[in-house]
């Protein structure tokens, strides 16, 4: 009965109600079949069309009715096989005979949210409006007042600190005979010097093997050849065993989330680790779907992923919304951060990642009082995800700019703005302005930023955008081979090419950050919290962020 209802419902639909309409040129098409072969949702199919035509020919023509049969490419009238606008058909077509066209008057959700199951997807928030970050301008330019630097010839040190940075007068050190010594039983927090743009948590499982490998190779090259200390978070799901026991582990941040997937392998590998990780991230929330847990669908849990995560094959891996043994902020900080720090002998920075929400200040105040908390990462509403309900992606969360600003000003009140670093994520580089967005967040109070969706778009040419284009991350049918475990699809992705593009992205970002900070007279220290360097033409944004209103 359910299938019959679905068929009846689909028969009532018209293609004008679909989000993308396929434009097919019969006169150009050579009927090669490439487009129908590569369509990830099977939204188009080869078909036969019979037409009755009135035809006349000869010296004294008489109208005749003839029947013409032709081969066509037809868009399927089935909401479960709707076109997602990825454009893969256009890329493989040798004659430019086919192209998806966005339909701004679609009624997609009216038809998709049926049967009591809401629409789920991957990708990022469907909001084509320009983000707050892209409206900000840099207005503090040193000329006759302070010396302006030459971005091309001056020596720069674009670095930040990941870890609690104690003031000199609070360090537990004794001076005797001109030598420094640590006070008995004292603790100095571990700190790492890194590049202020990090690659955020995207798991091996959510990403395909070539994509994850390409990111990892790019990060290793940046550190060892270009000497740009970029670090990368593993996402939930652990790390490959060979990486855990290699010298490259120091460039990675293993993430522990509420599902604890892959952490048996990490703990068992501790005695054989020749390097310590850059840090440990404890994920409590994600900006794209705050208050919700993670999910890796069964069709992504193949042999390699199951082995790394220590789970059976072909089962859904759902993470709870919270860590099940932690029922308060104090308990989470005291138990989780200190126990994980203890595993590495308190030599590795450990910090939590939370969603951008109104409760971020409460979390921050507790972290500020705990000497073992190394930092705080806040993930704003524009962050992406591999799988979530559409309502979570579009209607939940807090913008990162104002949430970060509130947290930084709270640290200023406590006098700890130079002690506990804040990292911001969610929508950084949404309009491809990576360095400008990162610099804006740094001036608002961030010590660094995380990127995820941006690196997928820049390094692997992800098709997804903010108009619900593609966004098949949750179905494992990614036409680029980025978020799939299907070998037929991920063979389309070249890991070496991804690594090359990762290196390009960070070298470009470093150059642009120099161009932004040089006129501000900053070369060796990031202008963290230097909000007088920012202005905006929107009075409401200026008042909310406490920056200059310029017009």
């Amino acid at each position: 009965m359910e299938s019959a209802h679905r068929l009846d419902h689909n028969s009532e639909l018209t293609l004008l109600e679909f989000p993308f309409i396929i434009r097919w040129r019969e006169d150009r098409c050579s009927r090669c079949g490439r487009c129908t072969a590569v369509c990830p949702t099977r939204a188009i199919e080869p078909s036969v069309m019979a037409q009755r035509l009135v035809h006349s020919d000869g010296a004294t023509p008489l109208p005749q009715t003839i029947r013409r049969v032709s081969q066509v490419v037809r868009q399927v009238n089935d909401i479960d096989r709707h076109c997602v606008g990825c454009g893969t058909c256009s890329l493989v077509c040798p004659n430019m005979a086919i192209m998806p066209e966005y339909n701004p008057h679609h009624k997609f959700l009216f038809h998709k949210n049926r049967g009591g199951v809401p629409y789920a997807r991957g990708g990022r928030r469907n909001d084509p409006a320009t983000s707050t970050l892209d409206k900000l301008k840099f207005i503090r330019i040193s000329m006759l007042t302070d010396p302006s630097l030459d971005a091309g010839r001056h020596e720069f040190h674009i670095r930040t600190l990941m870890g609690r940075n104690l003031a000199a007068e609070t360090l537990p050190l004794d001076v005797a005979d001109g030598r420094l010594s640590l006070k008995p039983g004292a603790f100095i927090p571990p700190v790492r010097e890194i590049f202020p743009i990090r690659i955020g948590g995207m798991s091996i499982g959510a990403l395909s093997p070539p994509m994850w490998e390409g990111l990892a190779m790019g990060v290793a090259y940046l550190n060892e050849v270009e000497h740009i200390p970029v670090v990368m978070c593993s996402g939930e799901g652990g790390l490959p065993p060979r990486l855990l026991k290699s010298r490259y582990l120091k460039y990675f941040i293993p993430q522990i989330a509420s599902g604890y997937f892959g952490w048996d392998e990490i703990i068992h590998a501790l005695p054989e680790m020749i390097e310590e990780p850059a840090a440990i991230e404890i994920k409590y929330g994600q900006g794209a779907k705050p208050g919700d847990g993670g999910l890796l669908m069964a069709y992504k849990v193949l042999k390699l992923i199951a082995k790394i995560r220590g789970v059976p094959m072909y089962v859904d891996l759902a993470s709870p919304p919270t860590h099940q043994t932690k029922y308060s902020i104090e308990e989470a900080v005291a138990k989780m951060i200190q126990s994980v720090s203890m595993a590495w002998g308190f030599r590795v920075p450990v910090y939590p990642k939370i969603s951008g929400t109104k409760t971020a200040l409460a979390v921050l105040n507790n972290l500020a009082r705990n000497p073992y908390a190394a930092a705080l990462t806040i993930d704003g509403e524009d962050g992406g995800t591999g799988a979530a309900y559409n309502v979570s992606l579009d209607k939940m969360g807090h913008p990162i700019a104002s949430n970060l600003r509130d947290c930084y000003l709270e640290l200023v009140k406590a006098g700890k703005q130079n002690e506990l670093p804040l990292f911001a994520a969610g929508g950084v580089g949404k309009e491809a302005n990576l360095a400008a967005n990162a610099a804006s967040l740094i001036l608002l109070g961030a010590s660094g930023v995380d990127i995820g969706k941006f690196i997928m778009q820049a390094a692997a040419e992800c098709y997804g955008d903010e108009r619900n284009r593609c966004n098949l991350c949750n179905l494992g049918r990614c036409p680029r081979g980025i978020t799939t475990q299907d070998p037929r699809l991920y063979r389309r992705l070249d890991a070496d090419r991804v690594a090359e593009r990762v290196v390009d992205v960070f070298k470009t970002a470093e150059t642009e950050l120099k161009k932004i900070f040089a006129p501000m007279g900053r070369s060796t220290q990031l202008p963290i919290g230097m909000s007088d360097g920012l202005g905006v033409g929107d009075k409401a944004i200026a008042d909310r962020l406490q920056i200059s209103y310029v017009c």
Side-chain angles (χ1 to χ4, degrees):
M1 289 297 292
E2 183 179 346
S3 61
H5 170 74
R6 171 62 69 183
L7 289 172
D8 291 341
H9 171 62
N10 284 326
S11 65
E12 297 171 2
L13 295 179
T14 67
L15 293 179
L16 293 177
E17 296 177 292
F18 281 47
F20 289 90
I21 299 172
I22 302 294
R23 300 300 183 191
W24 176 68
R25 290 281 300 270
E26 182 178 7
D27 57 324
R28 290 183 177 179
C29 182
S30 60
R31 278 68 171 179
C32 63
R34 296 180 186 180
C35 57
T36 56
V38 299
C39 180
T41 60
R42 298 182 295 120
I44 51 178
E45 62 185 12
S47 184
V48 175
M49 181 175 66
Q51 293 176 300
R52 293 183 64 190
L53 302 174
V54 178
H55 176 75
S56 59
D57 197 6
T60 57
L62 293 174
Q64 296 179 357
T65 300
I66 64 171
R67 184 172 183 269
R68 190 184 77 166
V69 178
S70 58
Q71 290 78 34
V72 299
V73 175
R74 183 180 69 90
Q75 183 172 357
V76 177
N77 189 21
D78 184 348
I79 199 68
D80 291 331
R81 292 167 59 183
H82 69 280
C83 173
V84 295
C86 66
T88 310
C89 55
S90 303
L91 292 176
V92 300
C93 180
N95 305 313
M96 293 187 293
I98 192 167
M99 179 179 294
E101 182 179 296
Y102 178 67
N103 176 21
H105 308 293
H106 69 83
K107 297 181 179 179
F108 176 66
L109 285 180
F110 288 100
H111 302 295
K112 193 64 175 174
N113 286 340
R114 285 177 176 259
V117 180
Y119 174 52
R121 62 179 178 87
R124 193 158 53 188
R125 174 177 296 255
N126 288 326
D127 183 8
T130 304
S131 68
T132 297
L133 295 178
D134 287 307
K135 295 177 181 177
L136 303 182
K137 304 289 184 182
F138 305 105
I139 61 171
R140 189 185 187 281
I141 309 300
S142 303
M143 285 181 284
L144 295 178
T145 52
D146 301 310
S148 186
L149 306 176
D150 188 326
R153 290 180 289 182
H154 196 90
E155 184 175 339
F156 281 80
H157 194 68
I158 308 294
R159 303 291 184 265
T160 193
L161 297 178
M162 181 172 62
R164 188 177 285 261
N165 184 30
L166 298 179
E169 60 273 13
T170 62
L171 288 171
L173 299 173
D174 285 328
V175 181
D177 300 328
R179 301 184 65 180
L180 285 175
S181 61
L182 188 65
K183 293 180 179 179
F187 168 67
I188 295 181
V191 179
R192 304 282 192 269
E193 187 179 66
I194 63 169
F195 192 66
I197 301 176
R198 312 183 302 184
I199 297 179
M202 296 178 288
S203 69
I204 179 167
L207 298 183
S208 65
M211 182 64 193
W212 209 92
E213 181 185 1
L215 293 176
M217 288 193 298
V219 166
Y221 187 92
L222 284 164
N223 279 272
E224 305 208 346
V225 178
E226 300 293 341
H227 305 295
I228 302 176
V230 176
V231 294
M232 170 180 166
C233 182
S234 70
E236 182 180 18
L239 290 161
R242 289 181 62 185
L243 180 57
L244 288 171
K245 302 169 187 177
S246 75
R247 64 186 180 88
Y248 301 107
L249 181 62
K250 58 188 174 184
Y251 309 137
F252 293 86
I253 303 174
Q255 184 189 88
I256 178 169
S258 55
Y260 299 91
F261 297 119
W263 267 82
D264 280 348
E265 294 286 340
I266 293 175
I267 297 302
H268 291 155
L270 268 171
E272 301 177 67
M273 289 181 183
I274 61 175
E275 291 284 354
E276 292 169 344
I280 304 295
E281 179 176 277
I282 304 173
K283 176 193 163 191
Y284 288 96
Q286 183 177 346
K289 46 180 180 177
D292 201 359
L295 174 65
L296 190 69
M297 290 65 61
Y299 38 81
K300 284 190 174 184
V301 188
L302 303 187
K303 185 177 180 180
L304 172 65
I305 308 306
K307 182 179 180 181
I308 292 174
R309 297 194 175 208
V311 297
M313 296 172 59
Y314 306 117
V315 295
D316 285 331
L317 301 181
S319 302
T322 60
H323 290 261
Q324 296 297 289
T325 57
K326 316 294 181 292
Y327 294 101
S328 68
I329 301 172
E330 292 81 7
E331 192 176 29
V333 170
K335 285 186 177 179
M336 199 73 172
I337 293 179
Q338 288 171 227
S339 61
V340 175
S341 297
M342 192 182 301
W344 274 271
F346 296 93
R347 298 184 303 272
V348 175
V350 181
Y351 66 89
K353 171 185 173 180
I354 62 172
S355 306
T357 70
K358 288 286 287 184
T359 59
L361 287 177
V363 176
L364 178 70
N365 286 326
N366 277 272
L367 292 178
R369 296 195 298 267
N370 188 292
Y372 302 107
L376 174 64
T377 294
I378 308 170
D379 195 8
E381 65 176 1
D382 282 326
T385 183
Y389 286 117
N390 190 72
V391 68
S392 296
L393 280 165
D394 280 356
K395 301 299 179 184
M396 297 182 68
H398 196 298
I400 185 57
S402 58
N403 215 199
L404 168 72
R405 188 66 176 152
D406 290 344
C407 288
Y408 179 74
L409 293 177
E410 189 73 11
L411 285 177
V412 171
K413 291 178 185 177
K416 295 191 175 184
Q417 70 272 24
N418 296 319
E419 179 179 325
L420 188 69
L422 300 173
F423 289 88
V428 181
K430 188 173 182 179
E431 299 292 332
N433 299 315
L434 174 59
N437 288 174
S440 296
L441 287 166
I442 288 169
L443 266 63
L444 288 174
S447 293
V449 301
D450 285 357
I451 56 173
K453 182 70 172 178
F454 174 87
I455 202 69
M456 292 166 63
Q457 291 172 316
E461 300 176 10
C462 166
Y463 297 149
D465 68 6
E466 284 66 58
R467 291 188 182 271
N468 209 12
R469 180 177 185 240
C470 195
N471 291 345
L472 292 173
C473 318
N474 60 315
L475 299 180
R477 301 180 197 161
C478 174
R480 285 293 298 159
I482 301 170
T483 59
T484 177
Q485 300 301 322
D486 187 341
R488 295 171 298 177
L489 295 174
Y490 69 60
R491 287 193 190 108
R492 300 176 183 178
L493 200 62
D494 184 350
D496 290 335
R497 178 61 181 155
V498 171
E500 290 173 9
R501 289 290 297 123
V502 169
V503 174
D504 290 345
V505 165
F506 281 94
K507 289 178 67 177
T508 300
E510 184 179 46
T511 300
E512 289 189 338
L513 286 175
K514 291 177 183 178
K515 295 295 290 184
I516 293 170
F517 294 148
M520 296 183 181
R522 294 300 182 101
S523 61
T524 57
Q525 282 188 326
L526 292 183
I528 299 172
M530 198 175 83
S531 57
D532 65 328
L534 287 175
V536 65
D538 187 313
K539 187 68 165 63
I541 294 176
D543 292 343
R544 181 68 180 83
L545 300 181
Q546 300 182 33
I547 60 176
S548 298
Y549 170 56
V550 294
C551 62

